[in-house]
Amino acid sequence: KELRTISLENPQSFIAQAKRLPEAAAKGTNPLLDHLLTVRRDTRRAAEIIEAQLKKTPAPKTKFPSTKLGGQFATAARLLTSRVPTRVIKLTLGGFDTHTNQAGQQARLLGQLGQALAAFERALRKASLWDRVLVMTYSEFGRRVAENGSGGTDHGTAAPHFLAGGKVKGGVYGAAPSLTDLDGGDLRHGIDYRQLYSTVAHRWWNLPHQWVEDGKFASIEAIEAG
């Protein structure tokens, strides 16, 4: 199997580290050792592809925020504008586990997201790529409705998500959840998160609806074909 996931913060640092890996030896009879050799070979090959593509295209001149998320979006824009072949780029923004002082933390984190995403959009519009990119948020959990004793909320279920891109039909989708008709203190979701994944898989990657839960979840019309 080919290497499918690469974790990096800085492309140039990744390239330099990959080049220090020795050339993979020929495969032998030890499957565990063979796997390590294959990963090493694929890592070097991935670095060679990234380096070659970066050399072809100058870095975007768009100014990104100096936050950690801003740096991640800048790296994503660099890879995309350089036409590095990739289907998915994952960025992370932690700190939403707001058991205390939720109002202040939410404002700060969402401000970082908005500023970084705005710079990312500007960079991709200049490169005529905004219509070919879909940005989707996701989280492993939501928040409960009731405030706890520390000015925050505890782990819950349903949560809002954002999607952005040149092919996304803007607006609010799904009915506003009730704050009184709850499920054990949690919001009742209106859109199943698997609908998001099913829609992206089908409309952007041309995978069949059956790819997610045997096609049990309908597409969301807000997300056009990529």
Side-chain angles (χ1 to χ4, degrees):
K1 295 183 178 180
E2 295 182 354
L3 185 67
R4 294 182 179 272
T5 303
I6 296 173
S7 177
L8 61 84
E9 292 187 6
N10 182 288
Q12 297 300 339
S13 176
F14 170 76
I15 292 169
Q17 292 179 50
K19 283 183 175 180
R20 289 196 290 269
L21 292 173
E23 292 285 352
K27 289 186 177 181
T29 58
N30 186 323
L32 295 179
L33 178 58
D34 288 346
H35 173 71
L36 293 176
L37 294 174
T38 298
V39 171
R40 189 167 69 185
R41 180 203 65 208
D42 291 346
T43 301
R44 286 179 59 94
R45 177 57 180 156
E48 290 170 358
I49 293 173
I50 293 174
E51 182 177 35
Q53 293 301 117
L54 292 181
K55 287 181 178 179
K56 294 179 182 179
T57 310
K61 295 182 179 180
T62 302
K63 183 178 180 180
F64 283 81
S66 58
T67 59
K68 184 176 181 179
L69 182 65
Q72 293 180 58
F73 267 108
T75 297
R78 182 78 172 99
L79 295 173
L80 291 171
T81 57
S82 298
R83 304 301 200 272
V84 172
T86 182
R87 290 282 187 174
V88 180
I89 298 177
K90 175 186 173 182
L91 312 181
T92 59
L93 177 60
F96 284 97
D97 196 6
T98 49
H99 293 281
T100 61
N101 187 30
Q102 178 168 297
Q105 291 188 66
Q106 287 277 41
R108 175 178 57 83
L109 292 169
L110 291 177
Q112 290 183 17
L113 175 61
Q115 292 166 8
L117 183 55
F120 183 68
E121 179 185 353
R122 289 195 297 270
L124 293 194
R125 283 190 182 277
K126 290 179 181 179
S128 300
L129 289 174
W130 186 235
D131 283 354
R132 299 185 59 191
V133 171
L134 173 68
V135 180
M136 182 179 79
T137 64
Y138 78 97
S139 176
E140 59 184 304
F141 51 76
R143 313 304 301 176
R144 293 177 71 81
V145 173
E147 181 178 326
N148 59 25
S150 302
T153 57
D154 299 321
H155 291 186
T157 53
H161 287 281
F162 301 100
L163 294 107
K167 290 291 186 73
V168 175
K169 297 177 183 178
V172 178
Y173 289 78
S178 171
L179 297 180
T180 56
D181 181 19
L182 304 177
D183 181 10
D186 287 319
L187 296 171
R188 298 183 186 275
H189 71 269
I191 296 177
D192 193 291
Y193 73 94
R194 286 165 290 191
Q195 287 182 257
L196 297 178
Y197 298 151
S198 177
T199 304
V200 173
H202 179 64
R203 291 179 176 267
W204 283 77
W205 299 333
N206 295 318
L207 292 170
H209 283 295
Q210 289 72 21
W211 190 75
V212 177
E213 297 285 346
D214 295 325
K216 297 176 182 177
F217 297 92
S219 292
I220 300 172
E221 296 305 318
I223 309 172
E224 291 293 334

